[in-house]
Amino acid sequence: MKSAYIFPGQGSQFKGMGLDLYQSSDSAKTMFDQANSILGFDITKIMFEGTDEELKQTNVTQPAIFIHSVIMAKISPDFSPNMVAGHSLGEFSALVAAGALSFEDGLKLVAKRADAMQKACEIRPSTMAAILGLADNIIEEVCAGITDEIVVPANYNCPGQVVISGTFEGVEKACELLKAAGAKRALILPVGGAFHSPLMEPAREELASAIHAAEFEAPICAIYQNVNAMPATEVNVIKENLISQLTAPVRWTQSIEQMVNDGAEIFIECGPGKVLQGLVKKIASGVEIKSI
Protein backbone atom coordinates (compact mmCIF):
# COMPACT_ATOMS: atom_id res chain seq x y z
CA MET A 1 0.00 0.00 0.00
CA LYS A 2 1.27 3.49 -0.86
CA SER A 3 1.53 5.59 2.31
CA ALA A 4 1.14 9.37 2.50
CA TYR A 5 2.37 11.07 5.66
CA ILE A 6 0.67 14.39 6.42
CA PHE A 7 1.80 17.07 8.87
CA PRO A 8 -0.50 19.55 10.67
CA GLY A 9 -0.31 23.33 10.82
CA GLN A 10 -1.16 26.04 13.32
CA GLY A 11 -4.13 25.27 15.56
CA SER A 12 -3.16 21.68 16.43
CA GLN A 13 -1.22 22.60 19.58
CA PHE A 14 -2.35 21.45 23.05
CA LYS A 15 -1.14 21.73 26.63
CA GLY A 16 1.43 19.06 27.48
CA MET A 17 2.27 18.37 23.84
CA GLY A 18 5.37 16.24 23.36
CA LEU A 19 5.89 15.33 27.03
CA ASP A 20 5.15 11.64 26.38
CA LEU A 21 7.78 11.59 23.61
CA TYR A 22 10.34 13.34 25.84
CA GLN A 23 9.83 10.85 28.66
CA SER A 24 9.78 7.70 26.52
CA SER A 25 12.61 8.22 24.03
CA ASP A 26 16.25 9.25 24.50
CA SER A 27 16.40 10.32 20.84
CA ALA A 28 13.35 12.55 21.32
CA LYS A 29 14.82 14.05 24.51
CA THR A 30 18.02 14.92 22.62
CA MET A 31 16.03 16.67 19.86
CA PHE A 32 13.87 18.59 22.34
CA ASP A 33 17.00 19.80 24.16
CA GLN A 34 18.55 20.70 20.80
CA ALA A 35 15.43 22.75 19.93
CA ASN A 36 15.79 24.81 23.13
CA SER A 37 19.39 25.54 22.21
CA ILE A 38 18.57 26.49 18.60
CA LEU A 39 15.72 28.82 19.58
CA GLY A 40 17.49 30.38 22.54
CA PHE A 41 14.58 29.87 24.95
CA ASP A 42 13.00 26.94 26.79
CA ILE A 43 10.21 26.05 24.37
CA THR A 44 9.88 22.56 25.84
CA LYS A 45 8.87 24.06 29.22
CA ILE A 46 6.05 25.96 27.46
CA MET A 47 5.02 22.87 25.46
CA PHE A 48 4.97 20.61 28.52
CA GLU A 49 3.74 23.02 31.22
CA GLY A 50 2.50 26.21 29.52
CA THR A 51 -1.03 27.57 29.33
CA ASP A 52 -3.23 27.61 26.22
CA GLU A 53 -2.57 31.35 26.02
CA GLU A 54 1.22 30.90 26.02
CA LEU A 55 0.96 28.16 23.38
CA LYS A 56 -1.13 30.45 21.13
CA GLN A 57 1.72 32.96 20.69
CA THR A 58 2.87 32.65 17.06
CA ASN A 59 6.56 32.51 17.99
CA VAL A 60 5.74 29.50 20.21
CA THR A 61 2.95 27.78 18.27
CA GLN A 62 4.74 27.32 14.98
CA PRO A 63 8.04 25.96 16.36
CA ALA A 64 6.16 23.79 18.90
CA ILE A 65 4.04 22.04 16.27
CA PHE A 66 7.07 21.65 13.99
CA ILE A 67 9.20 20.15 16.78
CA HIS A 68 6.46 17.74 17.87
CA SER A 69 5.73 16.60 14.30
CA VAL A 70 9.34 16.10 13.23
CA ILE A 71 10.33 14.23 16.39
CA MET A 72 7.34 11.89 15.95
CA ALA A 73 8.52 11.08 12.42
CA LYS A 74 12.19 10.75 13.36
CA ILE A 75 11.64 8.30 16.23
CA SER A 76 9.00 6.21 14.45
CA PRO A 77 10.52 2.87 13.37
CA ASP A 78 7.86 2.52 10.67
CA PHE A 79 8.32 5.93 9.01
CA SER A 80 8.66 5.03 5.35
CA PRO A 81 6.62 7.43 3.19
CA ASN A 82 5.85 7.11 -0.49
CA MET A 83 4.77 10.77 -0.43
CA VAL A 84 4.40 13.59 2.11
CA ALA A 85 2.47 16.85 2.50
CA GLY A 86 1.99 19.44 5.23
CA HIS A 87 -0.74 21.99 5.87
CA SER A 88 0.83 25.48 5.77
CA LEU A 89 3.45 25.37 8.57
CA GLY A 90 3.29 21.56 8.27
CA GLU A 91 5.05 21.77 4.91
CA PHE A 92 8.29 22.55 6.77
CA SER A 93 7.77 19.52 9.05
CA ALA A 94 7.16 17.35 5.98
CA LEU A 95 10.36 18.56 4.31
CA VAL A 96 12.51 17.82 7.38
CA ALA A 97 10.87 14.42 7.92
CA ALA A 98 11.55 13.58 4.25
CA GLY A 99 15.22 14.59 4.51
CA ALA A 100 15.12 17.77 2.42
CA LEU A 101 16.20 19.93 5.36
CA SER A 102 18.06 19.28 8.60
CA PHE A 103 16.15 19.59 11.88
CA GLU A 104 18.28 22.61 12.82
CA ASP A 105 17.79 24.46 9.52
CA GLY A 106 14.09 23.61 9.44
CA LEU A 107 13.54 24.93 12.97
CA LYS A 108 15.48 28.13 12.22
CA LEU A 109 13.30 28.72 9.13
CA VAL A 110 10.10 28.07 11.09
CA ALA A 111 11.18 30.52 13.81
CA LYS A 112 12.04 33.09 11.13
CA ARG A 113 8.69 32.48 9.43
CA ALA A 114 6.75 32.96 12.69
CA ASP A 115 8.61 36.19 13.44
CA ALA A 116 8.17 37.54 9.89
CA MET A 117 4.44 36.72 9.89
CA GLN A 118 3.97 38.42 13.27
CA LYS A 119 5.67 41.59 11.97
CA ALA A 120 3.52 41.55 8.81
CA CYS A 121 0.40 41.29 10.99
CA GLU A 122 1.46 44.41 12.89
CA ILE A 123 1.98 46.46 9.71
CA ARG A 124 -1.71 46.27 8.78
CA PRO A 125 -4.51 44.87 10.97
CA SER A 126 -6.15 41.94 9.24
CA THR A 127 -8.03 38.71 9.88
CA MET A 128 -9.43 35.44 8.48
CA ALA A 129 -12.86 33.78 8.38
CA ALA A 130 -14.09 30.23 7.85
CA ILE A 131 -16.80 29.85 5.19
CA LEU A 132 -18.86 26.69 5.52
CA GLY A 133 -21.25 25.04 3.10
CA LEU A 134 -20.52 26.97 -0.08
CA ALA A 135 -18.86 25.94 -3.36
CA ASP A 136 -15.28 27.09 -3.94
CA ASN A 137 -16.10 28.92 -7.16
CA ILE A 138 -18.76 31.09 -5.48
CA ILE A 139 -16.31 32.06 -2.74
CA GLU A 140 -13.69 32.91 -5.36
CA GLU A 141 -16.16 35.04 -7.34
CA VAL A 142 -17.35 36.97 -4.28
CA CYS A 143 -13.81 37.69 -3.11
CA ALA A 144 -12.74 38.76 -6.61
CA GLY A 145 -15.71 41.12 -6.78
CA ILE A 146 -14.51 43.09 -3.74
CA THR A 147 -12.00 45.50 -5.25
CA ASP A 148 -11.79 48.28 -2.66
CA GLU A 149 -10.35 45.97 0.04
CA ILE A 150 -8.10 42.90 0.14
CA VAL A 151 -9.87 39.56 0.63
CA VAL A 152 -8.88 36.22 -0.93
CA PRO A 153 -9.44 32.47 -0.43
CA ALA A 154 -6.60 31.34 1.86
CA ASN A 155 -7.19 27.69 2.79
CA TYR A 156 -9.08 25.12 0.72
CA ASN A 157 -9.41 22.73 3.67
CA CYS A 158 -12.03 20.31 2.35
CA PRO A 159 -15.21 20.48 0.26
CA GLY A 160 -17.52 22.99 1.92
CA GLN A 161 -14.82 24.48 4.14
CA VAL A 162 -12.74 27.37 2.81
CA VAL A 163 -10.98 30.03 4.88
CA ILE A 164 -10.77 33.57 3.50
CA SER A 165 -8.13 36.12 4.46
CA GLY A 166 -7.72 39.89 4.19
CA THR A 167 -8.31 43.26 5.79
CA PHE A 168 -10.97 43.46 8.51
CA GLU A 169 -13.26 45.44 6.21
CA GLY A 170 -12.68 43.10 3.27
CA VAL A 171 -13.34 39.94 5.28
CA GLU A 172 -16.45 41.40 6.96
CA LYS A 173 -17.85 42.52 3.61
CA ALA A 174 -17.14 39.11 2.06
CA CYS A 175 -18.79 37.31 5.01
CA GLU A 176 -22.01 39.27 4.52
CA LEU A 177 -22.05 38.61 0.78
CA LEU A 178 -21.21 34.92 1.22
CA LYS A 179 -23.99 34.43 3.76
CA ALA A 180 -26.38 36.08 1.30
CA ALA A 181 -25.06 33.67 -1.38
CA GLY A 182 -26.01 30.67 0.77
CA ALA A 183 -23.08 29.95 3.10
CA LYS A 184 -24.18 27.97 6.16
CA ARG A 185 -21.73 29.90 8.32
CA ALA A 186 -19.21 32.69 7.94
CA LEU A 187 -17.14 32.75 11.09
CA ILE A 188 -14.40 35.29 11.88
CA LEU A 189 -11.42 33.35 13.29
CA PRO A 190 -9.37 34.36 16.35
CA VAL A 191 -6.09 34.76 14.45
CA GLY A 192 -3.42 37.45 14.45
CA GLY A 193 -3.64 38.40 10.79
CA ALA A 194 -4.37 37.60 7.16
CA PHE A 195 -2.18 34.56 6.53
CA HIS A 196 -1.84 33.27 2.97
CA SER A 197 -2.90 36.59 1.46
CA PRO A 198 -1.13 39.52 -0.27
CA LEU A 199 -0.86 41.16 3.19
CA MET A 200 1.90 38.64 3.99
CA GLU A 201 4.16 40.09 1.27
CA PRO A 202 6.61 41.66 3.80
CA ALA A 203 6.95 38.25 5.46
CA ARG A 204 7.41 36.51 2.11
CA GLU A 205 10.27 38.87 1.21
CA GLU A 206 11.93 38.36 4.60
CA LEU A 207 11.62 34.58 4.49
CA ALA A 208 12.76 34.32 0.86
CA SER A 209 16.35 35.27 1.65
CA ALA A 210 16.48 32.79 4.55
CA ILE A 211 15.11 29.97 2.38
CA HIS A 212 17.57 30.72 -0.42
CA ALA A 213 20.44 30.66 2.10
CA ALA A 214 19.39 27.36 3.72
CA GLU A 215 20.91 24.03 2.69
CA PHE A 216 18.27 21.87 0.96
CA GLU A 217 18.64 18.35 -0.44
CA ALA A 218 16.33 16.24 -2.60
CA PRO A 219 13.74 14.56 -0.34
CA ILE A 220 13.42 10.78 -0.05
CA CYS A 221 9.99 11.02 -1.71
CA ALA A 222 7.80 13.58 -3.44
CA ILE A 223 6.31 16.40 -1.37
CA TYR A 224 2.91 17.70 -2.49
CA GLN A 225 3.21 21.43 -1.93
CA ASN A 226 0.46 23.81 -0.86
CA VAL A 227 0.75 26.34 -3.67
CA ASN A 228 -0.05 24.01 -6.56
CA ALA A 229 -0.98 20.64 -4.97
CA MET A 230 1.58 18.92 -7.19
CA PRO A 231 4.48 16.59 -6.29
CA ALA A 232 7.97 18.08 -6.16
CA THR A 233 11.42 16.57 -5.61
CA GLU A 234 13.68 19.17 -7.25
CA VAL A 235 15.29 21.49 -4.70
CA ASN A 236 14.83 24.78 -6.58
CA VAL A 237 11.16 24.05 -7.23
CA ILE A 238 10.62 23.16 -3.56
CA LYS A 239 12.28 26.41 -2.43
CA GLU A 240 10.27 28.65 -4.75
CA ASN A 241 6.99 26.97 -3.77
CA LEU A 242 7.87 27.35 -0.10
CA ILE A 243 8.49 31.08 -0.58
CA SER A 244 5.25 31.56 -2.54
CA GLN A 245 3.29 29.73 0.15
CA LEU A 246 3.07 32.74 2.48
CA THR A 247 1.00 34.83 0.08
CA ALA A 248 -0.76 32.00 -1.82
CA PRO A 249 -3.70 29.82 -0.75
CA VAL A 250 -3.18 26.42 0.89
CA ARG A 251 -4.64 23.97 -1.63
CA TRP A 252 -5.17 21.13 0.83
CA THR A 253 -8.27 19.63 -0.81
CA GLN A 254 -6.49 19.53 -4.15
CA SER A 255 -3.30 18.10 -2.60
CA ILE A 256 -5.13 15.16 -1.02
CA GLU A 257 -7.07 14.52 -4.25
CA GLN A 258 -3.81 14.51 -6.24
CA MET A 259 -2.14 12.15 -3.77
CA VAL A 260 -5.07 9.74 -4.08
CA ASN A 261 -4.86 10.00 -7.88
CA ASP A 262 -1.16 9.15 -7.58
CA GLY A 263 -1.90 5.99 -5.60
CA ALA A 264 -2.04 6.97 -1.92
CA GLU A 265 -4.09 4.34 -0.06
CA ILE A 266 -3.25 5.16 3.54
CA PHE A 267 -2.89 8.64 5.10
CA ILE A 268 -0.92 8.87 8.34
CA GLU A 269 -1.07 12.10 10.35
CA CYS A 270 2.24 12.87 12.02
CA GLY A 271 2.05 15.54 14.72
CA PRO A 272 -0.24 16.86 17.43
CA GLY A 273 -4.00 16.43 17.11
CA LYS A 274 -6.23 14.83 14.50
CA VAL A 275 -7.35 17.83 12.43
CA LEU A 276 -5.96 16.54 9.13
CA GLN A 277 -7.51 13.10 9.57
CA GLY A 278 -10.92 14.78 9.75
CA LEU A 279 -10.23 16.78 6.60
CA VAL A 280 -8.97 13.77 4.62
CA LYS A 281 -12.12 11.85 5.61
CA LYS A 282 -14.20 14.61 3.96
CA ILE A 283 -12.00 14.78 0.84
CA ALA A 284 -11.26 11.14 -0.01
CA SER A 285 -13.47 8.10 0.47
CA GLY A 286 -12.07 4.58 0.57
CA VAL A 287 -8.64 5.43 1.97
CA GLU A 288 -7.30 4.35 5.34
CA ILE A 289 -6.61 7.19 7.79
CA LYS A 290 -4.68 7.00 11.07
CA SER A 291 -2.11 8.66 13.35
CA ILE A 292 1.54 7.65 13.46
Side-chain angles (χ1 to χ4, degrees), residues 34-35 37-39 63 66-67 92 96 101-115 207 210-211 214:
Q34 185 187 3
S37 176
I38 292 166
L39 293 172
F66 168 87
I67 292 162
F92 288 83
V96 173
L101 269 171
S102 69
F103 177 63
E104 181 174 1
D105 284 349
L107 182 52
K108 284 178 178 176
L109 285 178
V110 166
K112 181 82 171 172
R113 179 182 190 266
D115 181 57
L207 191 62
I211 287 173

Side-chain angles (χ1 to χ4, degrees), residues 51-73:
T51 63
D52 286 334
E53 206 51 48
E54 287 173 310
L55 274 171
K56 274 184 196 168
Q57 305 303 313
T58 299
N59 69 323
V60 172
T61 310
Q62 293 195 23
I65 291 169
F66 168 87
I67 292 162
H68 190 283
S69 302
V70 171
I71 290 175
M72 280 186 84

